[in-house]
Amino acid sequence: MSRQRRAPGPCGGRVHNVLRAAWSRAQRAKPSLGVAALVLALGCGGGGQGDGGPKVIVLGFDGMDYGLARHFMETGAMPNFARLAESGRFGPLGTSVPPLSPVAWSNFITGMDAGGHGIFDFIHRDPERMIPEFSTSKAESSERTLKLGKWQIPLGSGKIELLRKGEPFWSVLERRGVETTIIRMPANFPPSGSASRELSGMGTIDILGSPGIFSYYTSELFAADRQVSGGVIYEAWEEDGVVHAELHGPDNPFLVEKEEVTADFELYPDPEEPIAKLVVGSEERLLKVGEWSDWVPVTFELIPTQSLHGMCRFYLKALRPELQLYVSPINFDPLAPDIPISTPEDYATELARRSGRFYTQGMPEDVQALKAGVLDRREFLAQAKIAGDEIRRQYEPVLADFTSGLLFYYFGNLDQVSHMMFRAIDRQHPRYDPVADAPFAGVIEELYRQADEIVGYTLDHMADDTLLIVMSDHGFASLRRRMSLNTWLYERGYLAVKNPDLSQDPGFFANIDWSRTRAYAVGLNGLYVNLAGRERDGIVPPAERRALMEEIAAELLATIDPATGQPAVTKVYRREEVYRDRGAIDVGPDLIIGFARGTGGADDSSLGGVPPEVFTDNDGEWTGDHGMDHETVPGILLTSRPLKRPATELKNLAASILAELGVEGFPATADPGEK
Amino acid sequence: MINSFLRPLFDGLLYPFRGLHPLVGLTVVSLVAAIGILYVFKLTSNQDKLAAVKRKIHAGLFEIRLFNDNPRAILRAQLDILRHNLTYLRLAMVPLLWMIVPLVLVIAQLQFHYGYRGLDPGQSTLVKVELAAAAGRPQAILHAPAGVAVEAGPAWLPALNEVAWRIAAVEPGDYELDLEIGGESLSKSVRVSNDVVRRSPIRPSAAFADQLLYPAEPPLPRGSAVRAIHVVYPPGDAGIPGWESEWTWMIVFFVLSMVFAFALRKPLGVTF
């Protein structure tokens, strides 16, 4: 017996909150992303022997910090990095403005800055509708349907559109006959289709069309009244020795009236021992308390001839005194993918057949469940290890298949876990607790050791003439303080609210009085002028835009965080100044804010809310970050030999890689002076 | 008794194919089955009458083409064709009745060779003991051999009247799990192998229907407090990736058998 209550939550974290809340908003505003996705659906050691052509392997470690990597190399924790640095080059790699993963990886992919590729943040805003929206992809269901009573038949296919502009560097290689394999490149969902083999990564949706919505089933009273970001809590009770509950899918696109598709499951607890049997369709698992299941395939029947194929992992937290069952976001099953996640389309299936099912959602580490208190830190680390192990296991056959051309392989584990564990290595962090954090003090070092092992494995299995490039998109810093840009704008009279006494701002600009607002913030680092003729309710004449931006920039740079006595913002860029590429610059914020190292934007503000305080101590679980002054969080670049064309920043790394493969002139549209 | 004869017989017949791709064995089995079917069909059917009735059906079809502007002739020809078809079915029924029992026995044996995939080392699965009657928590112990590890359990699930364990395959091999359930000592086979070998997902009760459906292993003793013991094997794919189903092999078998039967009917002089 279960009673379910969906609880799209307010903010409480950072990037994932932003993404997930924006997803919730998008769900309400237009046909669901999930529905659109549905309609759209209608041995090791051999690598490196080589075929004679040039070979380049690029390993991308999201969030690997230059300072930490150098430190661990010096202490001997990263011997393979040190070995590689001796023969090649190791140094910082300039990141993007702002230093956020989708922006940074898009810089790398296109050889352009955000002004060229059009990805400025995780979140953009639609100036016509004034709502936050995803920056990297957009899903739309078919608009034409044939209605038959309560049923409808989509007459066209929906589409998922990659919003990143510019040509990916591997397209240029493929045109020159160089084979490329691009695994989990961020900001590449749906996959570009131009590589010989591609698997989409960060940005890939779960079955609900979101970045990842977990479910939590519990018998705790009133638990379902709790709203959490990035997940839904359902009440579920045992009756006559069994718990009946449902897994929740997206709305059924074949029904005129919106109705969620569901899949039943049962949990049979042992009345005395901490163990239970789980039954999902024809799948059965026996789980002890504290155990994770493997991937359990789930089929959502839409109509008798059409089904949606998902999969999830179960974690049995407790059976007594209360049932506590965590279910991962339902991922698209790579053995039967209903959305495009690879090139060719069956490549994801081939990978799954060779090394097992794997998380297909873009960011598999469930930081939201940790922030919501559904998983504790140990449980989160166990879940993150499962996700990381899958990706490492999958790397082995991919590397074994690589004989020539380019192989790019992405590892996101280090970034996501660093976000949640950074406080354990920062004694000045407001959440630092010497006792509680002691067991986690070595987690980040272990992440770097694992990265080192991957490099060691690669060195052992690649041909001698292969160029190995190890890079990251940005670095990391402790996130001690948070600054709400919208509140700052409000206190200085740039932004007006409808109700100053509102106890809980729902965000999404709901409380902003546009008729008196001259500037607003959305996204983690973006600040926009409420420009007449551009914004739906814009009031600032275009002629006054520049003066207003300069005024705000000067005030921001002069703002002192009262708790630290230091400037809270160390860089404020006008987009016209910081971006040299201009093809998509109009999408971006007018000002890009570089917070001081240690400070980051407040989540509520990043989603269009106006929380009460400008500055707050960071008291959440998300204790490490990089959405700061980009010069303070450089990534790394490590190469097995000096590059013919040295790269100092992400934006020109692709051109260096292409030069190694005999291709010049990338990107075609870039200012040659950039290189 | 029949099962105890058929099990080693089919194990021996399929032994040469155990290490080969499943389609190889299935092709040979289908060929042999087609020849057998044709032979039985020839022996047990009235070939002359079958040939005559087929000629009459063809004549009816020819009549329809010839008199396509005469509705009465067409209707009469269609009625004749229907009548001759019924005669054909009656004549074909006799050999079908002769074949049905041996075919069921053969299919049941093949099901347990081709219907399931083997466990790989490292792979987990469930061992489920169905109890015959609801009672309190039974004393349940599973003794696993060296090639199999018990990962979890026993779990007593009163709502299902079941005791379950999770086991993991450790090393390839044929093993016997020894179970003690409520004072009874029972065993259940488990095979860790990807070869085409007989796998028994269920050790059934001694009931006739259960023995007919699950002949891969000797039944449980009569009067046992256990109704059945299951080892969950993943469904097979007959060597066709993406076609995982317990019945995939059967589709392949029937299609190939039909193809071979059609191809060999003239060389073997069989009318059907």
Side-chain angles (χ1 to χ4, degrees):
Chain A
M1 179 70 189
S2 70
R3 180 165 67 89
Q4 295 93 7
R5 214 171 290 169
R6 183 163 283 237
C11 310
R14 284 187 56 82
V15 174
H16 291 77
N17 286 5
V18 173
L19 289 170
R20 284 167 169 117
W23 166 79
S24 301
R25 181 72 169 195
Q27 290 284 83
R28 292 190 289 273
K30 60 182 184 181
S32 78
L33 300 178
V35 169
L38 287 187
V39 174
L40 193 85
L42 296 169
C44 292
Q49 293 310 305
D51 281 346
K55 295 174 275 291
V56 178
I57 296 174
V58 182
L59 302 180
F61 291 99
D62 201 309
M64 180 171 280
D65 182 68
Y66 172 69
L68 284 171
R70 193 180 58 187
H71 168 71
F72 292 132
M73 285 164 71
E74 287 169 359
T75 60
M78 300 178 77
N80 293 302
F81 270 59
R83 172 159 62 118
L84 202 58
E86 281 176 16
S87 63
R89 175 193 176 274
F90 173 67
L93 183 65
T95 183
S96 58
V97 177
L100 302 174
S101 290
V103 190
W105 289 107
S106 296
N107 278 20
F108 173 51
I109 293 168
T110 64
M112 297 191 288
D113 59 33
H117 57 65
I119 309 296
F120 294 86
D121 203 303
F122 281 94
I123 296 293
H124 290 166
R125 95 299 185 215
D126 178 347
E128 291 177 6
R129 294 185 299 163
M130 290 311 290
I131 56 168
E133 60 184 13
F134 290 124
S135 63
T136 57
S137 66
K138 182 169 69 176
E140 288 176 352
S141 54
S142 170
E143 291 181 1
R144 293 182 306 124
T145 56
L146 175 66
K147 289 186 170 55
L148 299 166
K150 70 172 193 170
W151 301 95
Q152 63 180 8
I153 302 168
L155 295 177
S157 65
K159 64 173 181 179
I160 301 176
E161 184 185 357
L162 176 62
L163 299 176
R164 192 198 66 233
K165 311 292 185 229
E167 183 176 34
F169 66 86
W170 57 86
S171 296
V172 180
L173 291 171
E174 290 281 347
R175 274 207 308 278
R176 304 287 181 93
V178 178
E179 204 168 278
T180 62
T181 302
I182 308 294
I183 306 296
R184 291 195 179 81
M185 179 68 82
N188 192 41
F189 169 76
S192 70
S194 55
S196 295
R197 287 165 292 278
E198 267 176 305
L199 182 68
S200 64
M202 182 192 296
T204 309
I205 55 178
D206 71 358
I207 210 162
L208 295 174
S210 84
I213 300 285
F214 70 83
S215 302
Y216 181 58
Y217 300 83
T218 180
S219 58
E220 295 164 80
L221 282 177
F222 311 116
D225 294 336
R226 217 180 114 215
Q227 295 195 340
V228 295
S229 180
V232 185
I233 298 177
Y234 302 99
E235 288 177 4
W237 300 284
E238 180 184 336
E239 277 185 8
D240 299 326
V242 59
V243 179
H244 293 284
E246 291 173 330
L247 297 167
H248 295 256
D251 290 334
N252 189 336
F254 292 97
L255 289 174
V256 176
E257 295 289 329
K258 280 191 173 182
E259 189 178 304
E260 198 178 64
V261 288
T262 57
D264 294 338
F265 74 90
E266 289 83 38
L267 188 77
Y268 296 91
D270 185 300
E272 294 158 9
E273 299 298 323
I275 190 168
K277 181 176 161 182
L278 176 75
V279 180
V280 186
S282 61
E283 299 286 331
E284 298 176 318
R285 303 288 188 276
L286 206 59
L287 284 179
K288 292 189 282 192
V289 168
E291 271 190 336
W292 291 82
S293 77
D294 60 348
W295 285 111
V296 179
V298 185
T299 302
F300 294 99
E301 189 175 298
L302 305 173
I303 54 175
T305 57
Q306 295 291 332
S307 299
L308 189 60
H309 304 91
M311 59 177 195
C312 53
R313 285 184 183 273
F314 291 79
Y315 173 64
L316 185 59
K317 269 178 78 78
L319 281 172
R320 284 172 283 275
E322 303 294 345
L323 170 68
Q324 295 176 331
L325 179 69
Y326 161 92
V327 183
S328 74
I330 301 176
N331 282 230
F332 284 100
D333 187 347
L335 287 174
D338 293 315
I339 59 167
I341 56 172
S342 67
T343 307
E345 281 187 14
D346 60 357
Y347 184 55
T349 304
E350 181 190 327
L351 288 173
R353 288 195 193 292
R354 294 177 71 178
S355 52
R357 284 185 165 99
F358 55 88
Y359 275 98
T360 52
Q361 72 179 88
M363 291 185 283
E365 295 80 7
D366 202 340
V367 298
Q368 291 301 316
L370 173 56
K371 288 198 288 195
V374 164
L375 299 181
D376 63 27
R377 283 199 281 179
R378 287 186 192 283
E379 292 165 336
F380 165 75
L381 286 174
Q383 187 272 334
K385 183 176 185 307
I386 289 169
D389 286 350
E390 282 180 357
I391 290 170
R392 283 187 285 274
R393 191 167 61 239
Q394 202 171 65
Y395 178 55
E396 295 174 9
V398 171
L399 180 62
D401 284 350
F402 176 67
T403 53
S404 69
L406 172 74
L407 167 63
F408 171 87
Y409 203 97
Y410 169 86
F411 300 88
N413 206 245
L414 187 148
D415 176 86
Q416 294 295 291
V417 178
S418 293
H419 276 301
M420 311 311 290
M421 295 291 155
F422 216 86
R423 78 182 202 222
I425 59 167
D426 177 19
R427 292 170 188 271
Q428 271 76 52
H429 195 281
R431 283 290 306 270
Y432 180 74
D433 178 332
V435 176
D437 285 322
F440 305 101
V443 169
I444 288 183
E445 180 176 337
E446 181 58 28
L447 293 170
Y448 282 74
R449 283 182 187 272
Q450 288 170 2
D452 186 74
E453 285 170 12
I454 291 164
V455 168
Y457 180 87
T458 307
L459 289 170
D460 291 345
H461 291 79
M462 70 183 203
D464 292 341
D465 60 345
T466 304
L467 169 64
L468 176 60
I469 298 175
V470 183
M471 47 88 68
S472 68
D473 58 336
H474 53 67
F476 245 90
S478 182
L479 179 63
R480 300 171 185 166
R481 298 282 289 167
R482 294 187 160 198
M483 179 180 179
S484 165
L485 286 172
N486 276 332
T487 313
W488 183 91
L489 289 166
Y490 169 68
E491 288 190 351
R492 281 162 177 75
Y494 295 112
L495 182 148
V497 296
K498 296 172 188 166
N499 179 5
D501 302 321
L502 194 67
S503 59
Q504 180 113 25
D505 187 337
F508 300 102
F509 308 133
N511 195 34
I512 293 180
D513 179 355
W514 294 113
S515 66
R516 295 184 292 131
T517 290
R518 291 187 291 158
Y520 62 98
V522 68
L524 295 169
N525 299 78
L527 198 151
Y528 297 79
V529 171
N530 189 23
L531 194 65
R534 185 183 69 181
E535 262 74 3
R536 185 189 62 194
D537 305 307
I539 61 167
V540 177
E544 295 175 18
R545 173 176 172 264
R546 184 179 180 118
L548 177 62
M549 286 158 58
E550 285 176 359
E551 181 184 322
I552 292 173
E555 284 192 44
L556 275 169
L557 288 168
T559 300
I560 303 296
D561 181 342
T564 64
Q566 299 293 318
V569 173
T570 52
K571 295 275 191 322
V572 180
Y573 298 108
R574 280 200 315 121
R575 71 184 189 193
E576 289 83 0
E577 289 170 354
V578 72
Y579 299 128
R580 299 185 66 169
D581 299 304
R582 300 298 168 88
I585 200 165
D586 290 344
V587 181
D590 295 291
L591 293 174
I592 297 91
I593 314 304
F595 294 104
R597 188 174 168 90
T599 301
D603 289 335
D604 292 0
S605 178
S606 67
L607 277 173
V610 189
E613 304 288 335
V614 175
F615 291 104
T616 50
D617 267 344
N618 176 22
D619 59 358
E621 293 288 348
W622 187 274
T623 54
D625 204 47
H626 42 79
M628 303 166 188
D629 179 341
H630 76 288
E631 289 180 0
T632 67
V633 283
I636 65 131
L637 180 63
L638 173 64
T639 59
S640 59
R641 59 173 184 256
L643 298 176
K644 292 174 187 165
R645 184 177 193 156
T648 55
E649 60 175 311
L650 274 170
K651 192 181 153 185
N652 53 34
L653 180 56
S656 303
I657 293 169
L658 266 62
E660 296 292 331
L661 292 162
V663 178
E664 295 290 341
F666 177 82
T669 54
D671 176 352
E674 275 293 273
K675 300 188 178 105
Chain B
M1 197 174 75
I2 293 173
N3 285 333
S4 52
F5 166 72
L6 289 175
R7 276 193 296 268
L9 175 66
F10 275 80
D11 287 351
L13 289 173
L14 295 171
Y15 185 82
F17 307 109
R18 59 183 293 152
L20 302 176
H21 191 282
L23 281 177
V24 176
L26 268 177
T27 303
V28 174
V29 167
S30 302
L31 175 63
V32 173
I35 294 169
I37 288 167
L38 287 173
Y39 187 68
V40 173
F41 201 94
K42 187 177 183 179
L43 278 183
T44 59
S45 65
N46 188 326
Q47 291 282 291
D48 293 339
K49 283 188 178 178
L50 271 170
V53 78
K54 279 183 75 177
R55 281 197 298 274
K56 287 174 182 172
I57 291 169
H58 287 141
L61 293 170
F62 186 63
E63 193 177 359
I64 288 170
R65 285 188 63 185
L66 203 59
F67 301 105
N68 59 7
D69 55 350
N70 185 340
R72 290 189 64 172
I74 291 172
L75 185 62
R76 188 176 59 244
Q78 285 177 333
L79 288 172
D80 284 346
I81 291 170
L82 180 63
R83 186 162 51 84
H84 296 316
N85 264 318
L86 291 173
T87 307
Y88 179 88
L89 285 176
R90 180 173 56 77
L91 293 170
M93 192 62 72
V94 177
L96 278 177
L97 288 172
W98 276 99
M99 281 188 287
I100 195 158
V101 172
L103 263 179
V104 165
L105 294 173
V106 168
I107 286 170
Q109 291 294 329
L110 292 176
Q111 169 69 20
F112 298 103
H113 282 80
Y114 291 104
Y116 305 93
R117 271 185 299 131
L119 300 172
D120 292 322
Q123 191 173 357
S124 299
T125 194
L126 296 192
V127 176
K128 303 184 295 184
V129 175
E130 268 184 67
L131 302 172
R137 184 184 196 99
Q139 188 190 10
I141 301 169
L142 171 61
H143 302 284
V148 175
V150 178
E151 289 186 331
W156 175 44
L157 314 167
L160 298 171
N161 219 17
E162 179 181 302
V163 178
W165 289 265
R166 189 177 74 231
I167 61 169
V170 178
E171 287 178 14
D174 298 343
Y175 303 107
E176 287 290 323
L177 303 173
D178 293 321
L179 296 110
E180 291 177 35
I181 300 283
E184 268 187 273
S185 293
L186 302 166
S187 66
K188 172 75 191 76
S189 71
V190 59
R191 284 191 136 157
V192 181
S193 167
N194 261 321
D195 288 349
V196 177
V197 290
R198 175 167 45 87
R199 297 182 181 89
S200 167
I202 300 176
R203 184 174 180 192
S205 73
F208 174 76
D210 283 351
Q211 290 193 59
L212 185 68
L213 290 172
Y214 305 107
E217 200 169 2
L220 294 162
R222 289 191 187 281
S224 171
V226 173
R227 180 175 290 156
I229 306 173
H230 303 248
V231 168
V232 181
Y233 289 101
D237 61 2
I240 308 171
W243 283 49
E244 288 84 1
S245 162
E246 291 172 21
W247 314 112
T248 301
W249 77 271
M250 212 180 285
I251 295 167
V252 174
F253 173 74
F254 276 117
V255 168
L256 289 176
S257 299
M258 291 300 288
V259 168
F260 286 130
F262 271 101
L264 295 172
R265 71 187 200 280
K266 281 187 179 169
L268 295 178
V270 183
T271 298
F272 67 85

